[in-house]
Amino acid sequence: MKVGIIGQGQAGLVLAIMLKKNIKDVDITIIDKNQIAGKKLLATGNGRCNLANLKIKENSYNSKEALKIVKDFDAKKQIEFYKSIGIMTRSLNDLVYPFSLSAKNYVDYLIRYIKELKIKLINNEIVKSYESSESKVKVTTNKKVFVFDYLIFATGNESAPQLGGDPSILNILKKHGYIIKENKPGLCPIRTIEQTKNIENERWKCKVSLTVDKEKVYEEDGEVLFKKDGLSGIAIFNCASLIARNRKFKKASISLDLMPELSISEVEKVFFDMNFVSKESFLYGIFTKPMASYIHYIANVKNPFRYTNTEIKKIAKAVKELTFNYKESYDFKDCQVAIGGLEFENLNSNLFSKIENNVGFAGELLNADGLCGGFNLMFATATANKICDYLLK
Ligand SMILES: Cc1cc2nc3c(=O)[nH]c(=O)nc-3n(C[C@H](O)[C@H](O)[C@H](O)COP(=O)(O)OP(=O)(O)OC[C@H]3O[C@@H](n4cnc5c(N)ncnc54)[C@H](O)[C@@H]3O)c2cc1C
């Protein structure tokens, strides 16, 4: 059996290994337009490659289809799979990483293993078109024509174009009759209506709450990084995805509780007690100077030395509910996942096409996105498992 895989990312590389380990006499070629395999993988998890997550929640993915695929090949099964190919993992809280905590080590190992298994890697070739007939699939690149028994697209999506992110296959699939959901950037910083220039590069551990059309939809403890025009950090990335998943919202805002350890009345009491300790505002003894000035400004209080009781209450409110209105998300080059892609309608439960013969799909090109925490690589691996199961039948 000749299998062609387009894409040398997590989905394509892992799929090739699964097929080779499970199917006798399978001949596999993986084509990629990048010069090197696993280019995006090298950048994952801050260079540590967060492969999976031990705890899946309802909102970890955008759809029930994605959730089901991952539950069928959950973290426990994925850890076993890695072990079966010689990759030891470790879990930090619920996050699963290669034991080496090194994306580079992980990618180097995968590539060496793939070469050992005699899987062909072809680089610097862009797939331009394909044709499926009764039992063969013909693929045309910018250099050559290939003929396979099965063709699997593992071409990712529009996120991080500098690492290979490319939606061009989705445009080709559209012409073949597939339903494609328009892409939006997910897991990325956001721009806010409020100015944040004065607190650029500040970081603060806080509770982040997302409200969409007056309904509080998400809450996460995390570190927020203030950018010159908005907010960043993992909790903000997750908020950006949740906003992008909701295609019809009118207004979204993010509220930061800068002192989540204390209730508002406790914060007020602390502030009342501290209002006399310094000639300068007591805020400078709690927050960094830029943050203290910003809170002072947002609370709209006048006296920089001793505040009135009403002013203290206003400051406490600003600290407990520092609110930013969503303007827009950053671009695809700053995002970790695309929200959108190939819809599941035209696919069977093993991710093979219902409208053409012998064409399957794996990874981020599907309309599936996970929040931060290993959910996207975990999804890519789980889709590879579905494809492998189908070809084993
Ligand atoms: C900075 C960053 C950090 C991340 N960290 C994590 C993390 O720690 N954990 C996690 O779960 N997720 C993380 N993600 C998300 C995760 O990396 C992706 O969802 C996942 O790698 C997608 O894998 P894939 O195989 O589907 O696609 P990709 O890795 O995008 O691979 C697709 C490949 O197809 C090739 N290709 C596309 N079109 C063509 C064509 N026409 N012809 C030939 N080749 C083509 C591309 O060059 C690319 O190499 C991160 C993403 C980024 C950008």
Side-chain angles (χ1 to χ4, degrees), residues 344-362:
F344 289 95
E345 267 102 317
N346 303 127
L347 314 183
N348 68 21
S349 59
N350 280 92
L351 306 176
F352 272 80
S353 172
K354 286 184 198 167
I355 56 180
E356 324 181 89
N357 289 333
N358 300 0
V359 179
F361 305 92

Side-chain angles (χ1 to χ4, degrees), residues 6-12 31-34 36 38-41 43-46 49-52 125-128 154-157 159-160 163-166 168-169 335-337 362-365 373-378 380:
I6 318 301
Q8 297 172 357
Q10 172 75 1
I31 301 170
D32 202 296
K33 66 186 172 59
N34 279 349
I36 56 161
K39 190 168 176 187
K40 187 180 279 181
L41 274 175
T44 57
N46 261 332
C49 191
N50 181 189
L51 291 169
E125 286 202 36
I126 306 173
V127 170
K128 295 283 191 188
T155 41
N157 205 331
S159 54
L163 302 172
D166 183 347
S168 62
I169 290 294
C335 87
Q336 295 195 356
V337 76
E364 199 189 309
L365 94 158
F375 293 109
N376 288 300
L377 291 175
M378 191 174 175

